[in-house]
Amino acid sequence: MPVFLSSTDADFEAAFTALLGMKREDSPDVDQVVAEIIADVRDRGDAAVIELTAKFDKLELTAERLAFTKAEIAAEVAKVSSEDRDALELAAERIRAYHEKQLPADASWAGPHGEQLGWRWTPVAAAGLYVPGGLASYPSSVLMNAIPARVAGVDRLAICAPTPAGICNPLVLLAAEISGVDEIYRIGGAQAIAALAYGTQAIAPVDKITGPGNAFVAAAKRRVFGKVGIDMIAGPSEILVIADGDNDPDWIAIDLLSQAEHDASAQSILITDDAAFGRAVADAVTRQLETLERRDIAAASWEDFGAVITVRDIGEAVTLSDRIAPEHLEIACAEADAVAAEIKHAGAIFVGAWTPEAIGDYIGGPNHVLPTARSARFSSGLSVMDFVKRTTLSKMTPEALKAIGPAAERLATSEGLQAHGLSVRARLDRLNQ
C-alpha cells in the first residue's frame, strides 16, 4: 500500500522526513567492476570492447562492425511506419524550436577605464550520447539528447546503443537520423562509456557524455568525469501531482502511473487539500493497475514508494513540493499558474489539468532529461547550455592597466606570487618611462 500522510497528524514531520529519505536507487556495488572495465578499454581499446560486448550482450562483433553502416541504418529505418515517423518528426521539430530559444548570447562592453570585457560561447567539439538498448530503448531520449547538441553547434555526435543478441529498435536509428547523429555504435554498458571517454582504435573520444543508463553506466560516468564532461547521474523516475478535489480521479491516477510504470523504484506522490479525493485517486490507481500492461512494475513502484499527502491548503502543498524538489511536477488545481509561480525547486512543471507529464516526455518541447532524487534543488534539466562553454574576454589599454594594475600588483604581492606582480610591474614601468 502507498503511504497516506496528513499534515495535521502529530507525527507528520517525522513521517514526511522519512519519505524524503527513502532510498529508491538500486545501486549495487559495481564500482570495482566498472573500474576494471574502464582500465581494460583504455589498455586494449577495440579488443576489450568486442570481448565485453560478447560477454554482456551476447553479440559477436569485429572492429569494422562496431558502428552501424549507412546501409544497415537505412534497412532498419525502412521498417518504421509512416505514422511513427510523422510523430518523431513532429517531436523533433518542437524540441528543436524550444531549444533554439536557449542559445546564449555573446557579450562585450567597455569598462570604466576603456578596457574591453566580455564573454563568448562556443560548443564542445564532440558529444557522446548513451541510449539504453534493445527493443525497450527510447527514441524520445535520442531526440532529447541529440537535438540540443546540434542546436548548440556540436560538430560530431556519436551514439552508443547496445543491441543485445543483435536486436535493435528501428525507431532509435530513425531518431538518430532525424537528429543529425554522425555515428551509431552497437555497444553499451561501462565499456561504451569508457570508449567514448578515452577512445579506441575505431571510436574517437568525445568531450561530453550524456544520456541515461543502468548502475554500470552511472558508475562509469562518475569515473570518467573530469576526463570528459557528463550531464548528470540520473536516478529512478518520479512525479509529484498537486491537485484539488475538482479533478477526475482517473486522470490523476493515470498520471501517477505514467512514472510508476518506468521502474519498480520510481516514485509517484499526490498532494491534495481534499482527503476524500486522495482516497478516490488511490482507488483509481488500483483499478487502472488491473489493465496496465506493465502492472507488475507499476504496482511495485506504487506499493513500495507511492504516497498520498493531505494538506490544509495549496500553499502548504507548495512548501512540501519545494522540499521534495521533484523531477516532474504537475499542478492541477485552481489558479494553477499562480501556484506554479510560487514553486522554486522542480525539474519540470506541467501547469493545469490539461497538461499531463507524458506530453513533456515526447512532444511538448522542453527536455525530458531532468534532475532526480531532490537534485532539482541545485541543478537543471538537459539543455543547449550542457553543450556549450563560456570563455571570458579581457583587453587592457595602457590607460586601463595604469589605473588598475597597481591593485593587481598589490594583491599578487600579498599572496606571495612574485612573478604575477612582476608581470604587471614590467608594463607599468614601461608606461612610466
Side-chain angles (χ1 to χ4, degrees), residues 24-25 233-237 327 372-373:
R24 297 183 293 118
E25 292 80 359
I233 304 296
S237 298
E327 177 187 16
T372 61

Side-chain angles (χ1 to χ4, degrees), residues 152-373:
V154 177
D155 283 335
R156 173 178 163 247
L157 293 182
I159 279 184
C160 284
T163 57
I167 298 172
C168 70
N169 185 341
L171 284 168
V172 165
L173 299 184
L174 176 57
E177 185 178 87
I178 290 172
S179 303
V181 171
D182 302 293
E183 307 155 24
I184 308 174
Y185 298 97
R186 51 185 129 218
I187 59 173
Q191 60 271 24
I193 301 300
L196 290 172
Y198 294 98
T200 69
Q201 294 86 344
I203 303 172
V206 300
D207 302 306
K208 186 145 192 179
I209 298 173
T210 70
N214 61 17
F216 289 86
V217 171
K221 286 173 71 175
R222 285 191 185 96
R223 279 197 163 266
V224 302
F225 178 63
K227 174 65 175 177
V228 295
I230 63 171
D231 52 349
M232 64 185 79
I233 304 296
S237 298
E238 56 201 43
I239 185 172
L240 169 62
V241 180
I242 296 175
D244 58 25
D246 293 328
N247 280 280
D248 185 329
D250 283 314
W251 284 19
I252 303 303
I254 296 169
D255 293 349
L256 294 169
L257 289 172
S258 72
Q259 295 309 296
E261 72 175 353
H262 267 301
D263 188 329
S265 296
Q267 185 169 52
S268 302
I269 299 174
L270 168 65
I271 301 181
T272 181
D273 59 352
D274 185 328
F277 177 75
R279 287 286 178 181
V281 170
D283 291 342
V285 168
T286 300
R287 291 194 305 273
Q288 296 285 349
L289 280 169
E290 293 176 1
T291 56
L292 199 67
E293 291 181 1
R294 294 171 65 89
R295 56 183 167 274
D296 291 343
I297 294 171
S301 164
W302 179 241
E303 291 171 8
D304 293 343
F305 304 112
V308 176
I309 303 173
T310 303
V311 292
R312 297 176 182 88
D313 53 45
I314 297 300
E316 194 173 36
V318 169
T319 300
L320 295 182
S321 176
D322 274 341
R323 291 179 64 183
I324 296 170
E327 177 187 16
H328 306 104
L329 172 61
E330 284 188 12
I331 300 176
C333 59
E335 306 298 331
D337 289 292
V339 173
E342 295 296 317
I343 297 293
K344 297 181 178 66
H345 309 304
I349 301 176
F350 304 87
V351 184
W354 293 94
T355 318
E357 181 280 331
I359 284 293
D361 278 343
Y362 299 108
I363 207 79
N367 211 286
H368 77 196
V369 180
L370 298 165
T372 61

Side-chain angles (χ1 to χ4, degrees), residues 10-69:
D11 64 345
F12 174 74
E13 182 57 34
F16 184 73
T17 300
L19 181 68
L20 289 181
M22 188 178 288
K23 181 174 175 57
R24 297 183 293 118
E25 292 80 359
D26 181 16
S27 302
D29 187 9
V30 301
D31 192 61
Q32 185 56 43
V33 173
V34 167
E36 293 171 0
I37 289 173
I38 292 174
D40 192 20
V41 173
R42 289 185 68 180
D43 290 344
R44 299 195 298 125
D46 289 342
V49 171
I50 290 167
E51 287 180 17
L52 291 163
T53 300
K55 177 180 179 181
F56 293 118
D57 290 342
K58 305 298 184 265
L59 178 64
E60 299 290 341
L61 294 174
T62 62
E64 294 74 24
R65 294 191 63 244
L66 289 174
F68 282 91
T69 65

